[in-house]
Amino acid sequence: MAKNRENSPASPAGRSSHSPWDPKLPPVPHALEDPESERMERAGASIATEMEAEIDAELAAGEEISTDNLEEVLEKFDRESRTRTIAWQPMAWAVTAIAVAFSLYHMYTAYFGAPPVLVHRSLHVAAILVLCFAIYPAFQRASRSRIAIYDYVLIAAAVATTLYMILNYADLVRRGGRPESMDVIMGVVLVVLVIEAARRVTGWALPILAIVFIAYALFGRNLPGLFRHRGYDFESLMGFLYMTTEGVYGTAISVSASYIFLFILFGAVLQRSGMGQFFNDIALALAGTSRGGPAKVAVVASGFLGSINGAAVANVVTTGAFTIPLMKKVGYNKNFAGAVEATASVGGQILPPIMGASAFIMAETLGMPYQDIAIAAIVPALLYYLAIIAQVHLRATALGLSGISRKNLPAVAEVMKERGHLVLPLLFLIYMLFFSGRTILFSALLTIIVTVIVAMFRETTRMSFGDIIAALADGARTAVSVAVACATVGIIVGVVTLTGFGVKLANAIVAIGGGNLFLSLVLTMIASIILGMGLPSIPTYIITATMAAPALAQLGVPPLVAHMFVFYFGLFANITPPVALASYAAAGLSGGDPVKTGFASMRLALAGYIIPFMFVYNPALLLQDTTAFEAGRVILSGITGVLLLAVAVEGHFMTKVPWFLRLVIAGGAVMLMSPDALTDAIGIVIAILGIVAQSLYAKKQGEFSIRNI
């Protein structure tokens, strides 16, 4: 592993354009590569890479995950990684130039302002479609080294849609949504292109959903009962989807063309500077020697990386290539090792300050400052990760596992000396978002510039001109999947808005639930998980927020709380069988059984399935409309509850916990995770009785010792 890691797909610090961390783009032309930079990179290999030689000597033969296996796993479970590497150098230059220009355009508009709304959004969508058809092959067996003739036709059609918008913008606005024949033709072309792009990038689920909703808009007048509507003709529908800001160019694309793109670009620049390597190194230094150290390293590193890149499956492959073999080596079974990586990677998107990208859409949808969303997400996210770490620790204690020898680990001081300055851009971003009073766009733009400057502090992180160009190209490429999903969701949300489907579905959920909040929450949870199966996180959130969250609002749940609820369960579809893509990807790396890994992931994330119910019944957990005392009480009871739940789930506390005591402790945990002071008091009493009884049992077994906790 050590010999390949620096420049392999497993390594965030590597600069190879073929890695899942470093997404596959047409390569930056050789003329832009800096030989001196390459020399510096080799000379400045990370501290973790040096110590891996010793760890690798201990790993059993065959434990190393090969580059080919990584790419195979990533492409199997993450369609976004199935991209071309264009062989013809002039075309590679051209596509890279388009990607770089696209990034520079968004940086320019972040500072100087964007053109008129429809023009800006149409430019964004057209550029994304051009890159999509250039980078993503139409079929699995299509050429991965050249762009097909039909792709050039699709690229030309994408350009035509935005040229028509730019040249006829004043007339389109003046017509006020009353389309002419050419408007309808352009609308049809745009919708077809967006659906085809979504098929290539995300698979069939999202395009089929979009087609179903288009059919619903056209033929819904013929449906019986609740979901019937007055119906819309084809011309009106296409005009609505193309000419207004409620269709393809709706809120989702608005956020994609502003906040999301810049933060994706920020992540790409961080990747080029070696931030991923820093996260691995510091996690190893801090947690590597503790019981089950590699699993705790996976939780910490994957959480931080997941917050920045927002891609659960790619994050699993990126960090899992390093952490899963180490977890297996110290004694965790392969299903559990995969589950740890999957649950930690998925949770990154609920972890502030960046939270992937969905938080920006949530802020736009709710009309709230992003800072309020991030603050609300802090406590639930920390409880989620605390629960995972507690279960990982208890499993290690039960199995008698140790950590990695200190001599094989980097020192914290050395890690901070080598790459610690890379924390400064994150701290600067937090300052800009929460304390500066500047806009999110300006904050993101300035942080990108600061990151490039800070990376210059040391030779091992310094970016050459070629690295900066590659980062700009990487950012545009990574944004393709997000923007395509947002454009497709625009079709769905547009139809929902036009037909009132969201209100109808909300009424149906409330009616089935009989007005009972808990039953409605369970139904909404199931709907959110089903809607999230097989979809990327951003369209999952938008769809669930449009269709499921209104049901909770009808029952008096505050909008932010309702949106956070569906957001959580939409994400957890990635670890919930039968379509648990993150878990299945982790199983592909660990050699475990996909279904068993999926259920092990659910078990590890059990607290995550309970926490949304907690903050619905007591929004103080989201730090909403509460006093400091109440927030403190809820947080303390939540911490105690998730720790007790970990004991009940793992069935170990100093020694094996008898089944009846597990039930008692689980009951106390649930009480402590309930909303009011009375249930907290009852939970504390039950918990104390359960822990005391277990301690006496451990003493009887000769296992009573602080060391055994």
Side-chain angles (χ1 to χ4, degrees), residues 397-683:
T397 305
L399 297 175
L401 307 183
S402 59
I404 302 171
S405 171
R406 170 59 69 185
K407 68 178 183 179
N408 289 333
L409 292 174
V412 173
E414 292 176 342
V415 173
M416 294 303 294
K417 179 181 177 182
E418 190 70 18
R419 295 178 184 269
H421 57 285
L422 295 178
V423 176
L424 294 176
L426 290 177
L427 296 177
F428 180 79
L429 175 63
I430 292 171
Y431 166 76
M432 291 297 296
L433 289 176
F434 291 91
F435 305 107
S436 71
R438 306 305 291 266
T439 66
I440 295 175
L441 283 178
F442 183 78
S443 299
L445 174 64
L446 200 56
T447 304
I448 291 170
I449 297 170
V450 167
T451 302
V452 174
I453 295 171
V454 168
M456 300 294 180
F457 289 177
R458 290 190 67 84
E459 291 181 347
T460 50
T461 60
R462 189 171 298 154
M463 289 184 282
S464 67
F465 178 72
D467 291 329
I468 294 172
I469 293 297
L472 292 171
D474 290 348
R477 182 274 177 227
T478 306
V480 169
S481 58
V482 176
V484 164
C486 287
T488 312
V489 167
I491 297 172
I492 298 168
V493 174
V495 172
V496 169
T497 302
L498 197 63
T499 61
F501 179 83
V503 176
K504 300 176 192 295
L505 182 62
N507 290 336
I509 292 175
V510 173
I512 294 171
N516 181 278
L517 178 58
F518 181 76
L519 184 55
S520 296
L521 287 173
V522 172
L523 292 172
T524 304
M525 174 189 74
I526 294 170
S528 299
I529 291 175
I530 292 173
L531 288 169
M533 287 181 174
L535 293 182
S537 59
I538 289 175
T540 295
Y541 164 67
I542 297 172
I543 292 170
T544 54
T546 303
M547 299 184 190
L552 302 184
Q554 287 192 22
L555 294 170
V557 177
L560 173 59
V561 178
H563 279 244
M564 289 291 287
F565 185 89
V566 299
F567 178 46
Y568 263 66
F569 287 114
L571 288 178
F572 289 158
N574 280 292
I575 53 173
T576 305
V579 189
L581 294 182
S583 298
Y584 294 171
L589 294 180
S590 69
D593 179 89
V595 175
K596 290 181 180 178
T597 302
F599 282 108
S601 300
M602 286 185 67
R603 179 173 170 168
L604 264 174
L606 182 59
Y609 289 88
I610 297 174
I611 287 170
F613 288 87
M614 290 173 61
F615 58 63
V616 167
Y617 282 101
N618 194 338
L621 196 64
L622 298 180
L623 306 180
Q624 300 295 301
D625 301 323
T626 186
T627 64
F629 175 80
E630 176 67 8
R633 181 189 67 80
V634 171
I635 293 169
L636 185 60
S637 65
I639 291 172
T640 309
V642 298
L643 292 177
L644 288 173
L645 185 66
V647 172
V649 169
E650 289 301 318
H652 187 88
F653 184 76
M654 291 189 282
T655 189
K656 183 178 179 181
V657 182
W659 67 267
F660 58 89
L661 278 182
R662 290 177 72 174
L663 292 177
V664 171
I665 293 171
V670 172
M671 286 290 186
L672 281 163
M673 297 170 79
S674 296
D676 58 54
L678 177 60
T679 55
D680 282 355
I682 296 172

Side-chain angles (χ1 to χ4, degrees), residues 58-133:
E58 299 173 2
L59 289 174
E63 282 291 301
E64 183 177 335
I65 299 174
S66 70
T67 297
D68 291 341
N69 188 31
L70 284 174
E71 293 197 357
E72 179 184 344
V73 170
L74 189 64
E75 292 190 5
K76 182 177 181 181
F77 297 105
D78 185 16
R79 292 186 63 93
E80 298 172 14
S81 67
R82 302 176 189 176
T83 55
R84 291 187 179 107
T85 301
I86 300 173
W88 189 39
Q89 197 70 7
M91 184 54 63
W93 270 81
V95 175
T96 300
I98 292 171
V100 172
F102 189 37
S103 293
L104 292 175
Y105 167 76
H106 282 82
M107 294 179 71
Y108 175 87
T109 57
Y111 187 81
F112 293 103
V117 171
L118 280 175
V119 172
H120 177 56
R121 296 181 191 179
S122 70
L123 279 169
H124 179 78
V125 172
I128 285 294
L129 291 175
V130 168
L131 288 175
C132 178
F133 296 131

